[in-house]
Amino acid sequence: TLLSGLAGAFSQRSLQTQVGGLMHRDAYFYTVEISFLSAVCLMISMAVDYWQGRRAVVVTGTSVKELENKRCVNNNTFFQHWNYMTLLPITTRATAGLLTALVHRHLGSVIKGFALVLGLVFSALLQFVLEGIDLSLGQLVGTALVLFSSWLHFKG
């Protein structure tokens, strides 16, 4: 949670700061920047995994022919298990990223944190009402603390 709060503070500052009278940063472009950096980190991770696998072949003395046979048998490609349903979580995450950037820009990371926690409280209460699952003492105390802290924040 420390890193999440730090990232939220940096995002909020980046999106709300005006430099030299210029407009705020565009939340959509900010989301694209973050997505691009995430993709670069993922590609670096995949390249490291690939090269470590190649190095293991050299160290163990596995022949190239054996390696090609294993690849033919496994036939593992990046998009092997993708179908049209794969786009659902991708689209959902992209939309959530855009909405998060807009919340950071207009309301700030503290309000986003309260919204997140209140959403969890709301989910727990719905689970209690709809499914009849009793809330534990910790959940009840946590709910009371969240509601009290929200009241204190918005009061003063």
Side-chain angles (χ1 to χ4, degrees), residues 71-137:
R71 285 189 181 160
C72 288
V73 171
N74 291 338
N75 197 17
N76 289 334
T77 61
F78 184 75
F79 298 105
Q80 179 180 1
H81 299 288
W82 284 44
N83 59 25
Y84 68 94
M85 291 299 291
T86 308
L87 295 177
L88 183 63
I90 292 171
T91 306
T92 303
R93 295 285 300 217
T95 304
L98 288 171
L99 292 175
T100 300
L102 289 171
V103 168
H104 275 260
R105 179 175 179 184
H106 296 290
L107 299 174
S109 61
V110 174
I111 302 298
K112 184 194 85 145
F114 278 120
L116 176 69
V117 173
L118 288 172
L120 293 173
V121 168
F122 184 67
S123 296
L125 293 175
L126 274 178
Q127 188 175 13
F128 171 72
V129 170
L130 297 177
E131 297 177 10
I133 297 174
D134 291 334
L135 298 175
S136 69
L137 179 63

Side-chain angles (χ1 to χ4, degrees), residues 13-153:
R13 181 180 173 108
S14 173
L15 289 168
Q16 291 181 346
T17 302
Q18 289 185 351
V19 179
L22 297 176
M23 296 294 293
H24 296 291
R25 289 183 69 180
D26 185 17
Y28 299 109
F29 186 68
Y30 177 76
T31 302
V32 170
E33 289 175 0
I34 297 298
S35 298
F36 176 76
L37 291 173
S38 297
V40 168
C41 290
L42 178 63
M43 293 171 79
I44 290 170
S45 173
M46 290 173 63
V48 167
D49 286 345
Y50 175 77
W51 288 110
Q52 284 178 347
R54 297 276 300 181
R55 193 171 352 152
V57 169
V58 173
V59 170
T60 59
T62 305
S63 70
V64 176
K65 188 72 168 172
E66 290 177 36
L67 182 62
E68 288 174 358
N69 288 339
K70 285 182 182 179
R71 285 189 181 160
C72 288
V73 171
N74 291 338
N75 197 17
N76 289 334
T77 61
F78 184 75
F79 298 105
Q80 179 180 1
H81 299 288
W82 284 44
N83 59 25
Y84 68 94
M85 291 299 291
T86 308
L87 295 177
L88 183 63
I90 292 171
T91 306
T92 303
R93 295 285 300 217
T95 304
L98 288 171
L99 292 175
T100 300
L102 289 171
V103 168
H104 275 260
R105 179 175 179 184
H106 296 290
L107 299 174
S109 61
V110 174
I111 302 298
K112 184 194 85 145
F114 278 120
L116 176 69
V117 173
L118 288 172
L120 293 173
V121 168
F122 184 67
S123 296
L125 293 175
L126 274 178
Q127 188 175 13
F128 171 72
V129 170
L130 297 177
E131 297 177 10
I133 297 174
D134 291 334
L135 298 175
S136 69
L137 179 63
Q139 289 173 319
L140 291 173
V141 170
T143 300
L145 287 174
V146 164
L147 294 175
F148 181 66
S149 65
S150 299
W151 177 75
L152 284 176
H153 179 75

